[in-house]
Amino acid sequence: MDSPPPLSAIKDAKVLMVGAGGIGCELLKTLALSGFPDIHIIDMDTIEVSNLNRQFLFRQKHVGQSKAKVAREAVLRFRPNISITPYHANVKDPDFNVDFFKQFSVVLNGLDNLDARRHVNRLCLAADVPLVESGTTGFLGQVTVHLKGKTECYECQPKPAPKSYPVCTITSTPSKFVHCIVWAKDLLFAKLFGDKAQDNDLNVRSGNASTSDHTEDVFERRKDEDIEEYGRRIYDHVFGYNIEVALANEETWKNRSKPRPIYSKDVLPERLIKQNGNMDSASATDNPSSVSAMASLGMKNPQEIWSLMENSKIFLEALKLFFGKRGKEVGNLSFDKDDQLAVEFVTSAANIRASSFGISLHSLFESKGIAGNIVHAVATTNAIIAGLIVIEAIKVLQKDARSYRMTYCLEHPSKKMLLMPVEPYEPNKSCYVCSETPLSLEINTHRSTLREFVDKIVKAKLGMNLPLIMHGSALLYEVGDDLEEDMVTNYAANLEKVLSELPSPVTSGTLLTVEDLQQELTCNISIKHRSLTLCLCLCLCLCLSLSLSLSVHRDVWWWDFC
Amino acid sequence: MDGEELTQQETELYDRQIRVWGVDAQRRLSKANVLVCGMTGTVAEFCKNIVLAGVGSVTLVDDGVVTEAALSANFLIPPDESVSKGRTLAELCCDSLLEFNSMVRVSVEKGDISSFGEDFFSKFDVVVISSSSLATKKLINEKCRRLLRRVAFYTVDCRDSCGEIFVDLQNYKYTKKKVDEAVEFELKYPSFEEAITTPWKRLPRRMARLYFAMRVIEKFEEAEGRKPGETSILDFPGVMKKRQELCEEESFNESQIPDYLLERLVVGTREFPPVCAVIGGILGQEVIKAISGKGDPLKNFFFFDAFDGKGIIEDISNPDAAS
């Protein structure tokens, strides 16, 4: 049998892979086997143990090393003669500009976040390079193809934004376990162990504007305060006192079942610490990362759903261990799903709150998944998707436009199909990314600052990374390394001003131009002033700018409160 | 279920997949023994998948040596001749697979699988056959079916940019949670022989043509005494004749098995790596479902053709076969 020559379209191709994780490992392997001679790969991450169940190019000994570099080494072992160029970097880095992207015949994404995907989409449009996008979760996956002017771009159909919850639901009226997790993680954990200077809604309460000074002291540990007493004091304050205060407001509970206050003396009448003060349950030379309340209390099963009492023990023990063993970190900590003690604390706190509100309790394993936004993943789906990506990539290289397909990998067959190909759609004429459609924004120009506009609209909503904002010929704001000092000061001052009070005032009828030079994206936004509408929800809470949901209705947006 | 907890090492390593199929399923996987015959590129993908998933053991059978065709699609084979010299495909793949998951026992069994007795097959929960003749497929399938224990049987073959999977779970009972209650399902699978003797004109009109094309090639190779995949363009006329014969026997319209499809399969005997990844992935999922008892298993054929990109399930059972 003669060996067929490699497809000529492949042998001259230079491809860029973005992502060397679950999809990336499978993709790099399949590209190499398929005869691709020149592959570049960008990934900013390092290898973790939880990757090893599917990112098969990595071994235990590689934990901590760059994914892009290790992936390359592993593949060269079975294809020593191909060229693989790894970049241990963030694809949003300005080095990866339009000229960088222009050198590739096709770009293949194996990313796990919307932000980076949008950024790459824009660079590919600017460079006019075809993009093959993909994603997997559990048994589901899809591969899509994007060619400028010929098919939809990645952003032609708006992608759902990550779920967020109204502040009042989190602080006062949780109804689902996830609300309790968000409370435990973003409020209680942050308050006790995070940056004290940060605003925190932990004590925001309905109608009570004068949350008096004494609450400032509640969360601070008093000098030489016994650790267990401190723990119980916090416990009683958040699970007992705060609930009693909330209950006092009858309106809130008219149509909701009332929570019950929980006090530590009722759940744990006896003190946990038998001896005084000493951390004698573990040695003084404990590795901070192995400190664990579960281990300390002899609880081994992360799948077990603990009782209220067990959760309370974990709560107090975790708090004690943070202050006792990791005291230096207190005040600087942010929640990390791989921080065992943090996960234990958040799980127990969420469970106690859930117990109070009649919401079902969850195991540490489940809680970690929710708090850490963990995506469940298996090797097989990634392998299937990688195969499909290469098939589309080859079609793109052969410029066989009629054969391009969006392919969906289903868990349950549809019309006998587990793999369902669909023809790509034409570009959306109202897509502001690929079709230069002007946008309108209704906003309160007397209340919203330029900072809010930049952070919430330009960066979060429009997905720009390094924006530039102009009103006519006046530069209101820009980001860059080469700015002169007085410009920087000027911009800093502008950020704090409300729109209508900017040097070049932004009011109803103003047309703003917003650009990201790296993404080569320009958006023209027509501003319309709209007064705040106070939404008095049942709990009578004034939810300020912390909770916002922005709706995209064609190209018009408006602020919704609460 | 078994009362044994997963070890801490397993919990940490398998975290992301436990979130997909649960702890019980993971436990069952860790006790499963899989036999694999024919170390093709697709089978290499499949083995990688089940080793990562954490099955108890994988036993490899393939006394063949390294060829260029093997190297082109199988990433488990080291390209360095000094390393691979004198070693069989099974041995080389075994070495590579052991690196993926230290908790899985991977080993090699030498010999011709058709000569192994029923005792041998009774050690396994799953048997996967690739690149084997029609006779071998039927033989092994029968041996598995005669055992007291239920042994799941699969065949998998990829040619050119097409792939076919066959599944035989015999009488398979499993439960599914519907809303709050657990519902029991039972599926009855035909053997490979029963399935392929289903009269062609009884099959649904809109069916994957790849099924028929593969049967034609299969019969051709059997009649000519060829090893699976041992065909070339010179055989195309012979294959067309076989198609004519079979279609006459089956009173089936020849145009249902297009020339271009047969030509691709006759000429393109080498595997196409992206298809290996797709088929190896689907097969991996199926075997994991069968071992864990979780999820609807496919019944009973799966076809993929990169030309149209469809991955299709066909249920082919002979209503006339004795049950």
Side-chain angles (χ1 to χ4, degrees), chain A residues 275-441:
Chain A
Q275 276 94 348
N276 253 342
N278 280 331
M279 300 284 106
D280 48 15
S281 55
S283 79
T285 53
D286 260 332
N287 178 355
S289 67
S290 67
V291 169
S292 154
M294 278 174 72
S296 189
L297 295 168
M299 290 160 74
K300 300 207 175 113
N301 189 357
Q303 303 267 348
E304 203 187 328
I305 299 181
W306 304 323
S307 63
L308 174 60
M309 182 178 81
E310 287 168 325
N311 275 297
S312 304
K313 281 187 183 171
I314 294 276
F315 179 89
L316 293 175
E317 184 67 17
L319 195 141
K320 168 185 140 195
L321 287 170
F322 266 119
F323 280 89
K325 297 276 180 179
R326 296 172 58 180
K328 287 197 177 74
E329 299 172 66
V330 173
N332 291 326
L333 278 167
S334 46
F335 179 82
D336 177 356
K337 67 183 189 304
D338 296 312
D339 181 344
Q340 175 69 15
L341 196 58
V343 173
E344 289 171 350
F345 180 84
V346 166
T347 301
S348 58
N351 274 330
I352 300 165
R353 185 168 176 82
S355 183
S356 178
F357 282 84
I359 298 169
S360 52
L361 273 51
H362 287 62
S363 67
L364 182 110
F365 179 78
E366 289 166 318
S367 304
K368 177 177 165 179
I370 301 168
N373 289 316
I374 295 179
V375 176
H376 47 295
V378 294
T380 49
T381 319
N382 289 335
I384 294 164
I385 291 305
L388 296 173
I389 293 171
V390 176
I391 290 169
E392 289 307 311
I394 292 173
K395 290 177 193 172
V396 165
L397 293 172
Q398 291 174 324
K399 299 197 187 348
D400 190 5
R402 283 170 311 169
S403 69
Y404 302 153
R405 294 289 179 270
M406 323 273 265
T407 310
Y408 299 93
C409 176
L410 309 170
E411 189 176 350
H412 305 289
S414 165
K415 296 192 217 167
K416 299 196 297 184
M417 286 186 281
L418 277 181
L419 299 176
M420 196 164 73
V422 166
E423 282 186 44
Y425 298 120
E426 284 184 3
N428 177 359
K429 293 190 177 53
S430 331
C431 174
Y432 73 88
V433 176
C434 70
S435 305
E436 288 190 28
T437 300
L439 300 163
S440 324
L441 175 66

Side-chain angles (χ1 to χ4, degrees), chain B residues 97-114:
Chain B
L97 287 168
L98 282 166
E99 289 187 22
F100 293 148
N101 189 342
S102 56
M103 294 187 273
V104 178
R105 298 182 310 273
V106 188
S107 63
V108 171
E109 189 69 40
K110 285 187 181 277
D112 178 0
I113 197 169
S114 333

